[in-house]
Amino acid sequence: MMRVDEDALYCDFAETYHIYDIKQLPLSMAAVFACGLREDSRIMMKLNGIDIDSKTMLMAMAVDYLSLLWWAKTKDGQRNKNRPKLFSIILGKKGSEVQGYRSAIEFEQKLKEFGKEG
């Protein structure tokens, strides 16, 4: 965990256990405390590759469904126009960058550049 993100682990220990110097703990005790961290702690989310905790995502989905229900009752909704933006999709894209290309040639050029970087 320390190798993945030392700062996140320190923050989680401070927030959860009020321990501010992990290195002063015996290794076995630090391991027990680390295993006891919540699934939505900074380090656990990072280890699992999760950007948003489940509670936040569920709240965003609830807001999305309510806004879709409201929109569906409007004239725009009946004409399928001006659909509301969904928070769950916006939050899900946070931190991820998608690269698009206009042609196969442009893609192949980028692929060659990528091969030179490694």
Side-chain angles (χ1 to χ4, degrees):
M1 289 181 169
M2 286 281 240
R3 287 187 202 149
V4 173
D5 192 342
E6 187 174 341
D7 291 339
L9 189 60
Y10 270 94
C11 287
D12 288 338
F13 268 57
E15 179 183 21
T16 306
Y17 305 116
H18 304 286
I19 296 172
Y20 302 102
D21 192 2
I22 299 170
K23 294 181 180 178
Q24 295 299 318
L25 294 174
L27 186 58
S28 60
M29 187 178 288
V32 168
F33 286 152
C35 289
L37 290 171
R38 300 176 325 273
E39 68 179 39
D40 64 342
S41 66
R42 294 166 191 82
I43 191 68
M44 292 298 196
M45 288 178 60
K46 189 153 196 170
L47 288 171
N48 292 317
I50 300 169
D51 291 332
I52 301 147
D53 66 292
S54 57
K55 290 177 187 176
T56 303
M57 185 55 83
L58 285 172
M59 285 191 284
M61 291 173 68
V63 169
D64 289 346
Y65 289 128
L66 287 172
S67 66
L68 285 172
L69 284 170
W70 186 267
W71 169 78
K73 295 180 180 241
T74 65
K75 290 181 182 179
D76 280 349
Q78 293 169 1
R79 296 181 188 136
N80 200 20
K81 293 183 179 181
N82 299 322
R83 187 180 184 99
K85 292 184 180 179
L86 303 178
F87 287 111
S88 56
I89 292 176
I90 294 168
L91 289 173
K93 291 181 181 178
K94 179 183 171 188
S96 65
E97 294 182 25
V98 177
Q99 178 68 48
Y101 303 97
R102 296 184 187 268
S103 68
I105 296 168
E106 188 179 336
F107 171 76
E108 289 172 3
Q109 287 174 341
K110 188 65 175 179
L111 189 60
K112 287 179 186 176
E113 290 174 20
F114 180 77
K116 291 177 186 177
E117 291 176 7

